[in-house]
Amino acid sequence: MLRQYVHQFGQKLVRRQRLRPREGPEKRTARRLNTLDLIALGLGGTLGNGMYILVGEVSVYEAGPAIIICYLLAGLSTLLSGLCYADYVTMGQLCAFITGWNLILSYVMGTACVSRAWSAAFDSLIGNHISQAFRKFSLNVPYFLATYADFLHWAWYFFALGLVLLLTGLLFLGARESTLVNKVFTGLNLLVLSFTILSGFIKGDPHNWKLMEEDYRLATSGSSDTYSLGPLGSGGFLPFGFEGILQGAATCVYAFVGFDVIATTGKEVQNPRRSIPLGIVITIFIGFLAYFGVSAALTLMVPYYQIQPQSPLLQAFLHVGWNPARYVVAVGTLCALTSSLLGTMFTMPRLIYVMAEDGLTLFSHLVCALILAVLALLLELIDLVYLVSIGTLLAYSLVAFSVLVLRYQPEQNFSKNEKKDDEIDISQWEASPSEPASEAGTSRTLKTLWFPTSTTPTVKSGQIVYGCAFLLVLLLIILSLVLAQWPSQVFSGDPMLTTVAVLLLLLITGVMAIIWRQPQDPTPLHFKVPALPVLPLVSIFVNIYLMIQMTSRTWAQFGIWMVIGFAIYFGYGIRHSLENSEQHPAASAFQTLDKNIPGAESS
């Protein structure tokens, strides 16, 4: 009885949605978006808070001038994940829910960050008078909450409400019209960023990349009480060492959140096979160039320990004596945050809808709005950024894992006589009559690891890939922990740690080779990730390694978010899923984020 219950419970966790045509007439969406529209939409969501707020936080406290390397590593991680997004298929109900729940975290916290950025930018324009006035209302709260509640944020809710209603009306006009407005705001934002980059290289001082303790003492003696100085670290270009770069790279992942809006536009795109992968890659590349240029200009104009994290670009122009230029930056801030908010509003309702359509969430809008209001009031802005980064990295890893596993699974063919659920049936992981490998003994089973019996995926080969993929993730986690905890010992040749690292690499290579030998699903897709299984595994490793760099406070806050998600899933979603109901045979849109959306029928 217990074994049967565990078996049925396991089937629910790995159950995938059946691909069936929807019954009844289906409304066709007009395909009006081209590649340029997608790039503008992606850049609008990417070049927002990460440009005008995050660059200051990372420069002051985590990386100094080496922030440009942080953006390089974060951009690499995002590019690998972006390629997987264009070929994304969920591997099961639980995996799909965790991915969607963390994407909601990214959008909800991103919206909270935008709200905080609005108040910070406005406050900076008027000389920080409001923040100084509200410091008298400082609350006696735990250390992990904001030093004073952002009461100014609540005042901005009234302005934000009008802006949201305006953008909502714009979205009702259609994807083409909303992307046109987004292109205007994004274009203005890019002009302001170009002006900032040129100004930085004109007014910048290369000595700011070589600051030492003597410079810090001079800055301390000549500073006013308006802004406190950040830490010096060890000075130079790498003031916080290699560890600071890694922690900064993990934080900078937040800067690239927003490109995934492109993956949700497949039904409005004229040529999704070409436009979606190209739009994702170009968006990430342009975003990296913009972040690289602005962060370099900022750290050249201002010593990294004198950067004002809440409004780094505005204060940078004040530092070099270009006071009128801060109004130009203010225009860029307004355009960037508006575009970011538009991108979030474009994507989040679709994500929540397809999850709710499948029955996986209950009162999702209410839960998200409540969490948004509470966290935006109490948490520091950088804590919101950390939450978005860690949730995004986990979602990226699950996407890459899904692409890795399901490319090697047999094609799903469903008929009326088949079972109604459990497309990945655990009981079928035993050899079928047409696959007598298990009956031939252990030797033949081991032989099939390197010499598959079929040129197309079978249940047996799919089972092999599942096992190898889970083993690889475990090995990558262990390797990441070793490299994160003892990096200097490993690379300096410590006998024990170096041997462990080499053995892990050999095991990873061997297991990866087994996956490589298995047959892939020949079903044509609009886009397929190249270099399987290497590219998804590299993406998973980079994401895991960056997640390990997060602080214990961030992990605790993220754990609370995941507990809430699992409570919703196990308390409601797993029992009310569309696949658990015999009255709803139509396929859910959340079965894929790409195969169903970007892979829609041609117009």
Side-chain angles (χ1 to χ4, degrees):
M1 180 66 68
L2 179 61
R3 179 180 178 183
Q4 182 180 4
Y5 174 79
V6 172
H7 172 69
Q8 293 176 351
F9 182 75
Q11 287 179 329
K12 290 183 178 181
L13 295 183
V14 299
R15 178 174 54 220
R16 281 190 289 145
Q17 191 73 40
R18 287 158 293 161
L19 295 178
R20 294 179 176 177
R22 295 182 182 271
E23 296 181 354
E26 181 177 357
K27 181 180 178 180
R28 296 176 62 87
T29 306
R31 294 179 178 270
R32 298 180 178 180
L33 304 184
N34 53 34
T35 305
L36 181 61
D37 295 325
L38 298 187
I39 295 173
L41 196 60
L43 288 176
T46 302
L47 301 179
N49 251 13
M51 183 62 72
Y52 292 94
I53 301 295
L54 182 63
V55 63
E57 290 280 354
V58 177
S59 298
V60 175
Y61 299 111
E62 295 179 352
I67 185 176
I68 59 177
I69 302 178
C70 297
Y71 279 121
L72 176 62
L73 296 177
L76 174 63
S77 171
T78 306
L79 179 61
L80 295 174
S81 302
L83 293 175
C84 293
Y85 255 87
D87 183 16
Y88 176 43
V89 181
T90 63
M91 66 162 292
Q93 189 183 96
L94 180 61
C95 180
F97 179 84
I98 295 175
T99 304
W101 187 246
N102 281 281
L103 290 177
I104 290 177
L105 170 67
S106 299
Y107 294 127
V108 170
M109 294 300 102
T111 305
C113 291
V114 170
S115 301
R116 293 294 294 268
W118 271 110
S119 58
F122 178 78
D123 189 32
S124 179
L125 279 176
I126 62 176
N128 297 290
H129 295 300
I130 298 180
S131 60
Q132 293 176 12
F134 275 105
R135 288 183 187 274
K136 66 180 66 174
F137 297 104
S138 179
L139 301 178
N140 185 17
V141 294
Y143 73 96
F144 56 85
L145 298 180
T147 54
Y148 61 97
D150 192 8
F151 293 100
L152 174 63
H153 173 73
W154 292 104
W156 272 93
Y157 267 149
F158 293 99
F159 175 81
L161 176 60
L163 181 61
V164 167
L165 292 176
L166 178 62
L167 295 179
T168 301
L170 180 63
L171 291 173
F172 271 117
L173 294 178
R176 183 66 175 178
E177 291 74 13
S178 58
T179 52
L180 176 61
V181 175
N182 181 74
K183 280 193 287 188
V184 174
F185 282 118
T186 302
L188 291 174
N189 185 26
L190 290 175
L191 288 176
V192 172
L193 294 179
S194 300
F195 169 76
T196 302
I197 294 172
L198 291 176
S199 302
F201 286 106
I202 293 173
K203 297 292 293 183
D205 183 2
H207 180 69
N208 287 334
W209 283 10
K210 298 178 290 185
L211 297 169
M212 301 306 292
E213 187 174 353
E214 181 180 354
D215 301 292
Y216 190 76
R217 285 200 300 266
L218 291 174
T220 303
S221 61
S223 65
S224 63
D225 295 332
T226 306
Y227 303 112
S228 60
L229 296 180
L232 172 68
S234 60
F237 184 75
L238 299 171
F240 303 103
F242 188 65
E243 293 79 6
I245 291 179
L246 293 177
Q247 185 176 359
T251 307
C252 287
V253 169
Y254 168 81
F256 294 92
V257 172
F259 81 89
D260 46 0
V261 65
I262 298 176
T264 69
T265 60
K267 290 186 178 180
E268 292 95 349
V269 180
Q270 297 172 358
N271 185 4
R273 176 179 298 182
R274 175 179 179 273
S275 296
I276 289 180
L278 191 61
I280 288 176
V281 173
I282 294 178
T283 295
I284 295 173
F285 180 70
I286 296 178
F288 163 71
L289 292 180
Y291 282 116
F292 184 93
V294 170
S295 58
L298 176 64
T299 52
L300 285 172
M301 284 195 292
V302 186
Y304 62 89
Y305 46 74
Q306 289 184 309
I307 295 174
Q308 174 63 22
Q310 293 298 324
S311 52
L313 299 184
L314 292 175
Q315 299 300 324
F317 283 103
L318 291 177
H319 182 83
V320 298
W322 285 17
N323 293 9
R326 67 175 186 160
Y327 296 104
V328 177
V329 177
V331 173
T333 304
L334 176 65
C335 294
L337 297 178
T338 302
S339 297
S340 180
L341 183 59
L342 183 63
T344 301
M345 293 176 61
F346 190 90
T347 307
M348 187 165 62
R350 300 178 178 205
L351 177 61
I352 295 178
Y353 169 76
V354 294
M355 293 182 70
E357 183 187 44
D358 191 46
L360 292 179
T361 56
L362 175 62
F363 304 129
S364 300
H365 296 76
L366 179 61
V367 172
C368 292
L370 178 61
I371 294 174
L372 166 63
V374 173
L375 294 183
L377 174 68
L378 297 178
L379 291 183
E380 295 282 2
L381 179 60
I382 192 61
D383 289 328
L384 299 177
V385 171
Y386 289 155
L387 273 175
V388 173
S389 296
I390 193 172
T392 301
L393 287 169
L394 178 57
Y396 287 171
S397 301
L398 291 173
V399 168
F401 185 81
S402 299
V403 171
L404 170 65
V405 168
L406 292 187
R407 183 71 69 82
Y408 295 92
Q409 300 306 309
E411 184 178 1
Q412 300 179 35
N413 296 312
F414 299 99
S415 63
K416 295 181 179 180
N417 295 328
E418 286 185 289
K419 289 196 226 178
K420 293 190 173 209
D421 51 19
D422 309 330
E423 278 65 46
I424 306 176
D425 192 341
I426 298 177
S427 64
Q428 292 179 359
W429 287 9
E430 300 175 359
S432 62
S434 60
E435 299 172 359
S438 59
E439 299 176 0
T442 306
S443 60
R444 184 167 181 178
T445 300
L446 295 176
K447 184 178 180 180
T448 58
L449 296 178
W450 195 255
F451 299 103
T453 58
S454 174
T455 57
T456 58
T458 62
V459 174
K460 190 66 177 180
S461 65
Q463 176 187 0
I464 292 173
V465 173
Y466 264 109
C468 291
F470 279 110
L471 178 59
L472 279 173
V473 170
L474 178 61
L475 294 175
L476 289 175
I477 292 175
I478 297 174
L479 179 62
S480 299
L481 289 172
V482 171
L483 294 178
Q485 294 297 322
W486 304 283
S488 57
Q489 293 91 326
V490 171
F491 294 106
S492 63
D494 180 89
M496 184 180 70
L497 291 175
T498 303
T499 301
V500 171
V502 171
L503 288 177
L504 287 172
L505 287 174
L506 290 176
L507 285 173
I508 290 171
T509 303
V511 178
M512 183 174 60
I514 294 175
I515 294 180
W516 173 70
R517 291 292 300 170
Q518 304 308 310
Q520 295 187 26
D521 184 3
T523 303
L525 299 176
H526 289 289
F527 175 79
K528 286 190 174 183
V529 173
L532 247 68
V534 177
L535 192 148
L537 287 175
V538 172
S539 177
I540 294 172
F541 171 70
V542 173
N543 294 335
I544 291 175
Y545 191 74
L546 292 179
M547 290 176 68
I548 294 176
Q549 307 304 317
M550 293 295 181
T551 63
S552 57
R553 177 197 304 188
T554 303
W555 277 102
Q557 294 168 343
F558 180 68
I560 295 174
W561 172 262
M562 293 305 300
V563 167
I564 295 173
F566 285 133
I568 293 175
Y569 174 74
F570 289 105
Y572 177 85
I574 194 173
R575 293 181 290 107
H576 294 82
S577 171
L578 184 63
E579 274 297 278
N580 208 31
S581 175
E582 298 181 359
Q583 285 78 25
H584 297 81
S588 167
F590 194 68
Q591 194 274 336
T592 71
L593 287 182
D594 177 73
K595 200 169 185 178
N596 189 30
I597 298 177
E601 64 278 357
S602 302
S603 57

